[in-house]
Amino acid sequence: MLETFVHRAGLGDIYRKIVDGQRLSFDDGLTLYRNPHLSVIGWLANLVRERLHGDQTFFVRNQHINYTNVCNKGCLFCSFYALPKDPNGYVLTPEQIQDKVRAYAHLPITEIHMVGGVNVRLPYAYYLDIVRAIKTARPDVSLKAFTMIEIEQIRRVSRKPLEEVFGDLMTAGVDALPGGGAEVFSDRVHEELFHAKSDSDKWLDTARAAHRVGLPSNATLLYGHVEQTEEKVYHLVKLRELQDETGGFLAFIPLSWHPERTAISHLPGPTGQADLREIAVARLMLDNVPHIKSFWIMNSPAVTQVALRYGADDMDGSVMEYEITRDPSTDRIQTLTHARMLDMIAEAGRQPVERDALYRIVASPQPRMPAYLEPEAGAAGG
Ligand code: V47
């Protein structure tokens, strides 16, 4: 019956490949982006998601920290940065970062995610100091810090070979690298939106070098601005090729672009349909990346919950504070409580699994079903 829908939607060939465990081609990627039957594409992605993870849905009690917003790259899609002379620029000292970590000492946080702008004034020692500051305040936490773009800046200021920089960061306490800064692997979009930043080859080379020294990372794709479908498929294929080579990617996160307060805010940004499609296409194309994350801050909690049936097996976590897409006129705190995350996952019919930055399992809490999903009293056998 469901197979009839798949064939009617024109997705029969892709379905066969998925069932046979065959890799999807570039053209299949285009088809998945262009086919109007999103629910069927979601169903296909769910087949792969359940083959890999069953009902398991990963979440983390984490804290995001943005140590500086000063950045000289001027990316048109970004509202977070302050140019070096802007009075709104900030740099957190190691002590201020420690205070932020200690502010949540009462919560069993297992991951800290720390990124910032490309701030050329910061010396090499600063990066090692802030990593050590976190690990001193919270020795057991797993630390995911610095995108490939920041790593390039850290290497530049260190005047050391990249491998040595990774060694220093790992000794100081970095456990993994987040996936940011990849944007879209396209020379055209690079030129148009983020030309001051290094290009896709450099991002991939830095990721390759990290994976080779045993530092795993995530990967992202920023979508919903000026990119074209071919460019997104190319991006996914390049990540898949690197993953074949290194196996170092833990998770892929499609990042839903937020136009508000950016230099290109006249563009509408992605819809909920687009968010779900990105998750599903990623799950189907990235057959060698273990986890697909729906980042609820950018996708919204509501879309994220649906995404758990469209290919996503991870929803990020408690977050606490998030600066990158924050409206400065609202509260800095943006969080989901532990109970809320459990409820969202249970209501989606999934099994919550608490993880750390390296996807080591911390706990497998019992899901609490919402009352309306409980079988009616006396219904059994009635
Ligand atoms: O690199 C910037 C993007 C990224 C906007 O690895 C924007 O687990 C949307 O990479 N609208 C940083 N996105 C965030 C990131 C991330 C987030 C959550 C989890 C992980 C992970 C990584 O945010 C930047 C850039 O690509 N970004 N501005 C914007 N207006």
Side-chain angles (χ1 to χ4, degrees):
M1 173 68 175
L2 280 166
E3 287 190 25
T4 316
F5 279 121
V6 174
H7 287 284
R8 270 201 216 137
L11 292 163
D13 291 348
I14 290 181
Y15 172 63
R16 277 262 59 85
K17 284 190 184 178
I18 291 165
V19 170
D20 295 346
Q22 274 181 46
R23 177 158 280 190
L24 301 186
S25 66
F26 187 96
D27 285 345
D28 292 331
L30 291 180
T31 301
L32 291 169
Y33 272 117
R34 289 176 175 154
N35 185 291
H37 300 276
L38 178 61
S39 58
V40 178
I41 294 165
W43 182 78
L44 295 175
N46 193 50
L47 289 180
V48 177
R49 185 256 195 248
E50 289 187 356
R51 191 156 68 201
L52 289 170
H53 302 291
D55 277 330
Q56 286 191 320
T57 295
F58 296 87
F59 73 100
V60 61
R61 279 191 264 196
N62 67 356
Q63 177 179 3
H64 283 240
I65 298 177
N66 301 118
Y67 60 92
T68 182
N69 65 345
V70 177
C71 187
N72 63 2
K73 299 298 175 197
C75 301
L76 300 193
F77 57 74
C78 181
S79 62
F80 167 63
Y81 73 91
L83 287 171
K85 289 201 173 113
D86 185 333
N88 294 318
Y90 72 81
V91 178
L92 299 180
T93 63
E95 294 70 33
Q96 286 171 320
I97 290 176
Q98 258 181 351
D99 288 347
K100 279 191 177 287
V101 173
R102 290 200 175 114
Y104 298 112
H106 58 289
L107 296 175
I109 282 171
T110 62
E111 173 190 278
I112 289 183
H113 176 135
M114 180 170 68
V115 293
V118 175
N119 184 341
V120 293
R121 295 234 179 90
L122 299 174
Y124 187 48
Y126 171 83
Y127 297 98
L128 301 176
D129 285 348
I130 60 176
V131 168
R132 286 193 207 102
I134 288 175
K135 284 295 176 91
T136 307
R138 200 142 201 170
D140 296 334
V141 86
S142 56
L143 176 60
K144 176 158 57 94
F146 310 128
T147 65
M148 304 307 161
I149 306 295
E150 291 161 89
I151 292 290
E152 274 174 50
Q153 171 59 22
I154 300 172
R155 192 205 59 75
R156 210 170 291 131
V157 77
S158 76
R159 297 168 183 273
K160 288 184 175 193
L162 189 53
E163 288 65 27
E164 231 178 279
V165 171
F166 283 136
D168 289 349
L169 290 171
M170 289 161 88
T171 306
V174 172
D175 299 297
L177 303 180
E183 321 315 356
V184 187
F185 296 156
S186 149
D187 291 343
R188 187 189 65 84
V189 181
H190 178 245
E191 191 49 37
E192 203 173 322
L193 298 188
F194 54 101
H195 62 91
K197 209 143 113 177
S198 53
D199 62 8
S200 49
D201 286 346
K202 187 77 185 159
W203 192 97
L204 289 161
D205 285 348
T206 308
R208 179 182 292 107
H211 298 173
R212 286 215 176 119
V213 298
L215 196 52
S217 80
N218 291 340
T220 56
L221 160 71
L222 182 69
Y223 64 89
H225 39 84
V226 302
E227 83 286 357
Q228 291 169 359
T229 303
E230 286 81 358
E231 293 163 337
K232 289 192 287 195
V233 178
Y234 177 79
H235 187 105
L236 296 175
V237 168
K238 292 302 278 185
L239 289 176
R240 189 170 73 181
E241 284 170 8
L242 183 56
Q243 181 72 339
D244 277 344
E245 208 183 309
T246 67
F249 289 122
L250 296 168
F252 175 74
I253 308 111
L255 293 174
S256 182
W257 177 60
H258 281 242
E260 309 85 33
R261 298 170 302 283
T262 69
I264 49 170
S265 60
H266 57 282
L267 297 175
T271 59
Q273 285 256 131
D275 292 339
L276 290 172
R277 187 181 293 267
E278 292 298 336
I279 294 282
V281 177
R283 182 60 287 164
L284 292 168
M285 291 299 288
L286 296 177
D287 51 30
N288 52 3
V289 174
H291 301 283
I292 304 293
K293 181 191 291 191
S294 176
F295 185 37
W296 66 266
I297 288 268
M298 290 185 189
N299 279 354
S300 81
V303 168
T304 288
Q305 204 185 20
V306 180
L308 300 181
R309 299 232 154 232
Y310 273 69
D313 63 278
D314 189 290
M315 58 180 289
D316 206 84
S318 45
V319 176
M320 314 315 294
E321 298 173 18
Y322 198 73
E323 296 288 338
I324 292 176
T325 47
R326 183 172 81 91
D327 178 347
S329 65
T330 61
D331 196 341
R332 176 165 271 112
I333 306 291
Q334 294 179 77
T335 193
L336 286 178
T337 62
H338 182 244
R340 183 83 191 110
M341 291 190 281
L342 293 188
D343 287 350
M344 280 172 64
I345 295 169
E347 194 187 32
R350 297 302 198 192
Q351 167 64 49
V353 180
E354 186 176 349
R355 60 154 178 92
D356 69 3
L358 298 170
Y359 285 86
R360 292 177 298 210
I361 294 179
V362 174
S364 295
Q366 268 312 307
R368 294 179 307 174
M369 280 301 154
Y372 76 89
L373 287 179
E374 298 289 355
E376 278 176 48

